[in-house]
Amino acid sequence: FTYSIGGEGYLFKYLSLNFSVAQHYRIPTFNDLYWAQGGNINLKPESGWGEEVGLSFKHQYNGLSATVNATVFNRVINNWILWTPIASGYWAPDNIMRVWSRGVEYRIILNYPVRKFTFSLNVMWNYTVSTSEHAKTSNDASLGKQLIYTPMYKGNGSLTISYKHFSITFNQKYVGYTYTSADNKSYLKPYFLSNVKVSQVIAISGFKLQIFAGINNAIDNSYTVIQNRPMPGRNYQIGCTFYFNKLNTNTLNK
């Protein structure tokens, strides 16, 4: 059994406060236990508690809809399961005795219709500190250091322009320094990613078909997510998505 409690209430007309306290418990997955060359059958379940407090501002003015959220969180987890590279050249999961994760999350959502066009801006920013708080040995270099492959700073912003059932989205991502060693002496440099996507929605007998095309890493940036494994440069994507749930044709035809 796990337990949680939370609530939300308005401080002012457009400003609300929310909070939550929750127990965390997660058993190892099948891959954690049995993945060929890396699975660890001796893993223990994760357990711990987390708390969140957030403020939310929502307002509409002359067609402009604005939502701004800011959340502060704190989590202490015992036996945190983390996959890391080992000496044999592949990755394997292990339990980190205690991890303290805390930080702040921001989000801004703006929507503004202009005649038949709709402009939407969605910006997210995360600052997360996740550190090992219990040494396994007397000279454990990871004590109090940021977990590997867990960047402190991450951001994501998207601007979407829609006209009837056609839309174009410009997306910009940012990932800050990512440590690759337990003592935080080795790291991957920050990088930006720019993506562009266009899509068209078509109604077919009351169902919805979305056709899309995109350019990933549009500025052809050189970056690495995992050490010694460079990511692709500019690349292209096309596809379609068919939704089987019936649509409200009146809403689609607006």
Side-chain angles (χ1 to χ4, degrees):
F1 293 96
T2 58
Y3 306 91
S4 65
I5 185 173
E8 182 178 10
Y10 277 90
L11 301 176
F12 303 99
K13 184 176 181 180
Y14 305 113
L15 185 66
S16 63
L17 173 71
N18 60 81
F19 77 95
S20 67
V21 178
Q23 185 183 17
H24 176 88
Y25 184 85
R26 185 176 78 88
I27 63 173
T29 66
F30 190 87
N31 285 344
D32 291 335
L33 296 171
Y34 304 113
W35 185 263
Q37 289 191 324
N40 184 354
I41 62 173
N42 297 315
L43 287 174
K44 299 177 181 178
E46 296 178 350
S47 62
W49 287 87
E51 305 84 33
E52 290 186 357
V53 177
L55 288 172
S56 181
F57 173 84
K58 297 180 180 180
H59 186 48
Q60 289 188 349
Y61 180 76
N62 287 342
L64 174 64
S65 172
T67 301
V68 181
N69 296 318
T71 302
V72 178
F73 65 89
N74 177 76
R75 302 183 186 99
V76 177
I77 306 297
N78 297 311
N79 297 316
W80 182 295
I81 298 174
L82 180 68
W83 283 73
T84 58
I86 61 177
S88 303
Y90 52 88
W91 291 57
D94 197 7
N95 289 116
I96 300 177
M97 298 185 71
R98 179 176 295 173
V99 170
W100 180 22
S101 181
R102 63 275 191 198
V104 184
E105 299 175 348
Y106 303 96
R107 184 167 188 174
I108 300 174
I109 302 174
L110 301 176
N111 290 290
Y112 187 62
V114 180
R115 295 183 180 179
K116 294 184 178 181
F117 291 89
T118 300
F119 297 84
S120 302
L121 179 67
N122 192 326
V123 179
M124 292 179 289
W125 181 262
N126 296 341
Y127 170 68
T128 304
V129 180
S130 297
T131 54
S132 175
E133 297 297 314
H134 197 293
K136 289 186 175 181
T137 61
S138 57
N139 59 348
D140 190 344
S142 67
L143 184 63
K145 299 293 196 303
Q146 181 78 356
L147 298 184
I148 68 171
Y149 292 102
T150 307
M152 287 187 180
Y153 298 96
K154 293 179 69 176
N156 191 343
S158 296
L159 173 63
T160 300
I161 303 173
S162 303
Y163 176 76
K164 294 185 177 181
H165 314 313
F166 175 82
S167 66
I168 179 170
T169 299
F170 304 91
N171 176 257
Q172 183 73 51
K173 296 181 180 180
Y174 171 79
V175 177
Y177 285 97
T178 302
Y179 295 108
T180 59
S181 63
D183 58 6
N184 289 177
K185 292 183 179 180
S186 300
Y187 55 84
L188 301 175
K189 293 182 179 180
Y191 61 87
F192 286 93
L193 277 183
S194 301
N195 305 310
V196 181
K197 179 181 178 181
V198 295
S199 66
Q200 174 71 46
V201 175
I202 302 173
I204 301 177
S205 300
F207 297 94
K208 183 172 73 171
L209 175 67
Q210 183 186 48
I211 303 172
F212 61 88
I215 305 175
N216 302 318
N217 194 6
I219 59 176
D220 200 22
N221 194 13
S222 177
Y223 70 103
T224 304
V225 177
I226 298 175
Q227 192 174 28
N228 300 322
R229 297 184 185 181
M231 297 297 290
R234 184 183 299 112
N235 59 93
Y236 307 90
Q237 182 181 24
I238 60 173
C240 63
T241 304
F242 185 80
Y243 296 88
F244 289 94
N245 50 310
K246 274 281 188 178
L247 289 177
N248 184 333
T249 54
N250 294 328
T251 300
L252 187 62
N253 290 330
K254 284 184 179 180

